[in-house]
Amino acid sequence: MPNPLGTPERPLRVAIVGSGPSGFYAAESLLTGALIVKVDMLDRLPAPYGLVRYGVAPDHPKIKNVIKVYEKAASHERFSFIGNVHVGKDISVENLKKYYDAIIFACGAETDKKLGISGEDLPGSHTATEFVAWYNGHPDHRHKKFDLSSEIAVIIGQGNVSMDVGRILCKTVDELKETDIAQHALETLSESKIKTVYLIGRRGPVQAAFTPVEIREFGELKDCDPVVDPKDLELSPASQKELDDPQNNSRKKNFETLQKLSTLQRSKSRKIVIQFYKSPVEITGSGKVEKIILEKNELTGEADNQKAIGTGKKETLSCGLVFRSVGYSGKPVAGVPFDEKKGLIPNQKGRVMQDQQVLKGLYAVGWIKRGANGVIGTNKPDSEETVKSLLEDIGQLEPCSEPSTENVFNFLKSKGVRVVGFNDWKKIDTAEIERGKLVGKPREKFTSVEDMLKAIG
Ligand code: NAP
């Protein structure tokens, strides 16, 4: 009779694919539960922490303190980091099943939703994901070029990612130079000619997706004035009803900030113009972005379910740069079902589904499970829900045939993959912090995998 899974004799073996917040919360939940679980976390990069390292804005360092929680999980004796391993390329999901009783996909949402308008792919029109990953030193994006030589940039969308992009474009080099922003980005930004950044929302100020802290920051920039048209703050009865909702304090705070920003005197050399009720319909230019055509919208529908409908009234804005920031979408993992429309792995409470059937032993957490929404903390209960499902299923899991992490390492070695463990990562981490000290930054990231591997020695 084989030992039951989750016992000291036969720990439950779980692979987590992706080392961002949702992956770490899943690991923490598995490692602190009553059962004995061995957690191996794989990431295609040698550096862990996913969106905390490559998504959180460099001028928001406090958000990154959450890494301490993840480091605690990583220090657990039953945790291994298997970095620099691309699941789907270096090792297939089918192969992982040989070594693990369950696999949790925590691979986030790596790409952007499309706008679906003409001119979207003209040079000078970028996704927010690329820009964010570029200024955060992501190895996939370090070579991207952003031409900041025109005076006007337009950001489509009003979520917190747009806020980050707008702030980074509008801050002075002095405001950024002591952050962990990538050096190549700092250099490009120091030569920026951008004077005006438009932040365009398709709905109104009450429906805006940004949160109070983020919008407030636009009133605190050193050399950039926020511009809000008071006319945009005149509300329809339905929007007023949404604003008066006692359950939603964020809307009220956002609105109060916008009212304040709309009355500010302007004296600074840059401006960020926050406009509502407009949708992009076309981006034009000969060989590169020169203009964006916006259509004025009206809101229709009941409070809390209002949609933007075009009025037919159009306006043309000259600009040299467009950022599309209308939400993230996941990418498929080879061998795992994927819902193209929603950009996620179909699942029920984290259990991966195919044709209404549960796929035994496969689970999802975070953005690839629920879509790209919520803040970092949202992932904790989300991951706990998936772990609960996994532990409920333990009796039905098919025990893997080779319950050994060493075998995984040997397999990867035989394929010529240089695996990066957590102690290796700590060497990279220390080297980055040392590099940062030389230039007065908390860290200077290595922006290529090659350099990270060199730092390990
Ligand atoms: P988001 O919050 O979903 O915002 C997307 C924005 O794009 C919304 O303004 C949305 O407008 C607009 N949009 C969508 N489709 C559009 C279209 N076809 N045309 C025009 N506008 C369109 O997404 P996000 O900014 O990418 O952020 C993703 C998640 O990360 C969010 O939960 C966010 O709060 C979080 N995040 C948090 C922080 C932080 O805490 N500091 C920083 C960055 C990101 P509608 O509302 O009309 O759909």
Side-chain angles (χ1 to χ4, degrees), residues 138-166:
H138 193 294
D140 290 356
H141 298 273
R142 68 192 188 118
H143 293 303
K144 296 264 154 69
K145 293 273 175 261
F146 294 93
D147 179 358
L148 310 183
S149 64
S150 61
E151 291 201 352
I152 298 175
V154 175
I155 304 170
I156 301 298
Q158 289 183 334
N160 280 333
V161 171
S162 329
M163 298 284 126
D164 288 348
V165 170

Side-chain angles (χ1 to χ4, degrees), residues 17-146:
V17 180
S19 65
S22 64
F24 268 104
Y25 288 124
E28 185 189 35
S29 179
L30 286 163
L31 292 166
T32 53
L35 293 181
I36 305 296
V37 187
K38 170 78 178 83
V39 174
D40 288 355
M41 183 179 273
L42 298 99
D43 200 291
R44 71 184 177 92
L45 290 177
Y49 310 136
L51 206 75
V52 178
R53 180 170 160 97
Y54 292 118
V56 171
D59 59 339
H60 281 172
K62 281 193 193 141
I63 299 181
K64 300 186 197 209
N65 286 342
V66 71
I67 283 176
K68 292 194 184 107
V69 176
Y70 308 154
E71 279 177 335
K72 190 157 178 247
S75 68
H76 197 285
E77 57 180 358
R78 280 184 270 111
F79 176 95
S80 302
F81 179 62
I82 307 184
N84 200 33
V85 174
H86 199 156
V87 172
K89 283 190 181 150
D90 298 323
I91 185 164
S92 68
V93 171
E94 232 11 74
N95 220 343
L96 274 181
K97 287 182 192 164
K98 218 160 85 180
Y99 308 108
Y100 299 97
D101 310 309
I103 305 170
I104 299 179
F105 295 95
C107 29
E110 275 189 72
T111 183
D112 282 73
K113 288 185 184 149
K114 298 283 282 180
L115 275 176
I117 60 170
S118 152
E120 176 162 21
D121 297 318
L122 271 176
S125 167
H126 304 279
T127 63
T129 338
E130 291 174 281
F131 188 64
V132 169
W134 171 76
Y135 65 61
N136 276 322
H138 193 294
D140 290 356
H141 298 273
R142 68 192 188 118
H143 293 303
K144 296 264 154 69
K145 293 273 175 261
F146 294 93

Side-chain angles (χ1 to χ4, degrees), residues 418-431:
R418 164 100 187 259
V419 174
V420 172
F422 204 75
N423 286 339
D424 295 330
W425 152 248
K426 289 307 284 179
K427 287 185 194 163
I428 300 173
D429 188 33
T430 306

Side-chain angles (χ1 to χ4, degrees), residues 51 55 60 63 113-115 156-162 164 200-203 207-211 214 278-280 308 325-328 367 372-376:
L51 206 75
H60 281 172
I63 299 181
K113 288 185 184 149
K114 298 283 282 180
L115 275 176
I156 301 298
Q158 289 183 334
N160 280 333
V161 171
S162 329
D164 288 348
I200 308 286
R202 64 177 169 182
R203 297 192 288 161
Q207 295 78 30
F210 51 70
T211 44
E214 279 65 28
K278 286 177 187 174
S279 283
S325 180
V326 294
Y328 289 152
W367 279 5
N373 58 65
V375 292
I376 287 171

Side-chain angles (χ1 to χ4, degrees), residues 4 98 104 115 121 132 142-143 162 167 180 215 225 244 249 257 265-266 296 328 334 407 409 412-414 425-426 456:
K98 218 160 85 180
I104 299 179
L115 275 176
D121 297 318
V132 169
R142 68 192 188 118
H143 293 303
S162 329
R167 219 176 45 252
D180 68 359
I215 185 67
D225 285 318
D244 294 340
N249 220 6
T257 302
Q265 297 294 320
R266 286 170 219 140
K296 189 93 186 118
Y328 289 152
N407 287 11
F409 278 88
L412 291 165
K413 217 171 164 186
S414 74
W425 152 248
K426 289 307 284 179
I456 300 169

Side-chain angles (χ1 to χ4, degrees), residues 105-108 330-331 338 343-345 347 364-371:
F105 295 95
C107 29
K331 274 187 178 170
F338 191 70
L344 46 74
I345 297 177
N347 70 91
V365 289
W367 279 5
I368 200 70
K369 167 188 176 187
R370 67 174 194 275

